[in-house]
Amino acid sequence: MGSEDFYPEERPVHQVHVDGFWMDTHPVTVAEFRRFVKDTGHVTVAETAPDPADYPDADPADLVPGSLVFTPPSGPVSLDDYRQWWSWVPGADWRHPEGPDSNAGGRERHPVTHVAYSDALAYARWAGKELPTEAQWEFAARGGLDRAIYVWGDEFAPGGRHQANTWQGSFPWQNLVEDGFPGTSPVGSFRPNGYGLVDMAGNVWQWTTDHHTADHGASGRNVAPASPCCIPRNPRVEAAVRRDGETYPRRVIKGGSHLCAPNYCLRYRPAARQGDTEETSTCHIGFRCISPEPRTD
């Protein structure tokens, strides 16, 4: 696991043993998540208004159902201010990916987004499955390739052919869409890895069960600084931090997304890792499930 060649939180390279498991071929789709909601009546975090008593210092405008949505600026902006491209949008959720005036129609085969960690966990339990650990996820993503930079090898676009849904151009304003997708893409739009798994790089970040630490050798819950491209600050959590003065636990997300660009967030690699607070939902985070290998004894 890990890499010494990119971001500090990916260090050190180390060996990990994992037991056998099955992983879903692709991230959970909008259609699959819709069946779960229909069967259980589940209401996602993004669809739930926070209790004002829990956030006494928060802006009331933030204490409504909503989620974080990416909106590209019209031209170059400073990469030091994520607010130039991330917005808290009331009414944004898995059914309304860009806000209340949008809908997920026609995206049934796209990965579901705007799901917090607890939403992903609830789906997994309903499906009789689990969310992967970081080690399980990275092992599966590598597809049998040892130390390769990408899921598919060491060359980003072999033969000039894009292998994943990522950002081409100058983030956050210029998306050249050379891979054919300005946002999320239907699962399986790109070739599978060596284990037959699709979308293990790009498209959407994916939740894992591990708490995020500053590096692979760290213990506890020290949270490393993170690029706001991948980890926009959740205003609900910010309000709680101001109130309690605590560091809220983050879970590791893996895989990068369609918003990852070499000039800002080169994280569509199996070793790449980031942490996000469990309450956060965005337009570029989804998940997939695993099933432990059945015992034969």
Side-chain angles (χ1 to χ4, degrees), residues 206-235:
Q206 297 169 38
W207 288 108
T208 75
T209 59
D210 281 64
H211 287 288
H212 188 263
T213 55
D215 62 66
H216 280 309
S219 61
R221 294 182 180 180
N222 293 323
V223 179
S227 160
C229 157
C230 305
I231 317 298
R233 294 188 180 94
N234 184 333

Side-chain angles (χ1 to χ4, degrees), residues 27-28 111-115 120 204-207 282 284-288:
V28 173
V112 66
T113 56
H114 297 289
V115 285
V204 294
W205 285 96
Q206 297 169 38
W207 288 108
T282 75
H284 72 334
I285 300 179
F287 68 101
R288 74 173 76 207

Side-chain angles (χ1 to χ4, degrees), residues 189-289:
S189 296
F190 298 87
R191 293 193 301 180
N193 73 357
Y195 292 153
L197 306 173
V198 298
D199 294 296
M200 296 300 288
N203 211 0
V204 294
W205 285 96
Q206 297 169 38
W207 288 108
T208 75
T209 59
D210 281 64
H211 287 288
H212 188 263
T213 55
D215 62 66
H216 280 309
S219 61
R221 294 182 180 180
N222 293 323
V223 179
S227 160
C229 157
C230 305
I231 317 298
R233 294 188 180 94
N234 184 333
R236 297 181 181 182
V237 176
E238 282 192 320
V241 169
R242 288 195 299 270
R243 180 195 69 213
D244 300 334
E246 297 179 359
T247 299
Y248 279 69
R250 294 173 180 264
R251 300 281 178 169
V252 174
I253 55 175
K254 299 281 283 183
S257 80
H258 63 278
L259 297 179
C260 283
N263 74 309
Y264 190 57
C265 176
L266 185 60
R267 289 186 168 90
Y268 38 84
R269 297 173 291 103
R273 58 196 299 267
Q274 285 282 26
D276 215 341
T277 54
E278 296 175 5
E279 296 83 359
T280 292
S281 61
T282 75
C283 63
H284 72 334
I285 300 179
F287 68 101
R288 74 173 76 207
C289 300

Side-chain angles (χ1 to χ4, degrees), residues 163-174:
Q163 304 295 307
N165 181 3
T166 64
W167 183 286
Q168 300 88 53
S170 183
F171 183 88
W173 67 279
Q174 180 192 48

Side-chain angles (χ1 to χ4, degrees), residues 74-127:
S74 59
V77 296
S78 170
L79 297 180
D80 294 331
D81 186 1
Y82 70 93
R83 291 170 296 184
Q84 298 288 331
W85 55 89
W86 281 110
S87 300
W88 173 260
V89 178
D93 56 45
W94 72 273
R95 293 186 178 93
H96 309 95
E98 289 78 49
D101 295 330
S102 67
N103 64 72
R107 303 187 214 185
E108 288 77 11
R109 289 283 297 167
H110 287 233
V112 66
T113 56
H114 297 289
V115 285
Y117 178 76
S118 60
D119 302 320
L121 196 61
Y123 176 96
R125 289 170 175 168
W126 169 80

Side-chain angles (χ1 to χ4, degrees), residues 29-149:
T29 64
V30 170
E32 290 169 333
F33 197 78
R34 182 181 291 128
R35 287 196 290 273
F36 156 65
V37 170
K38 184 177 181 180
D39 188 54
T40 65
H42 180 83
V43 179
T44 63
V45 170
E47 297 171 285
T48 306
D51 184 348
D54 292 334
Y55 304 91
D57 298 326
D59 183 340
D62 292 333
L63 298 181
V64 296
S67 191
L68 287 155
V69 175
F70 173 81
T71 304
S74 59
V77 296
S78 170
L79 297 180
D80 294 331
D81 186 1
Y82 70 93
R83 291 170 296 184
Q84 298 288 331
W85 55 89
W86 281 110
S87 300
W88 173 260
V89 178
D93 56 45
W94 72 273
R95 293 186 178 93
H96 309 95
E98 289 78 49
D101 295 330
S102 67
N103 64 72
R107 303 187 214 185
E108 288 77 11
R109 289 283 297 167
H110 287 233
V112 66
T113 56
H114 297 289
V115 285
Y117 178 76
S118 60
D119 302 320
L121 196 61
Y123 176 96
R125 289 170 175 168
W126 169 80
K129 301 179 181 181
E130 301 173 1
L131 297 181
T133 66
E134 180 179 6
Q136 289 171 324
W137 195 100
E138 187 168 334
F139 178 86
R142 291 186 178 279
L145 298 179
D146 184 27
R147 298 288 194 90
I149 296 175

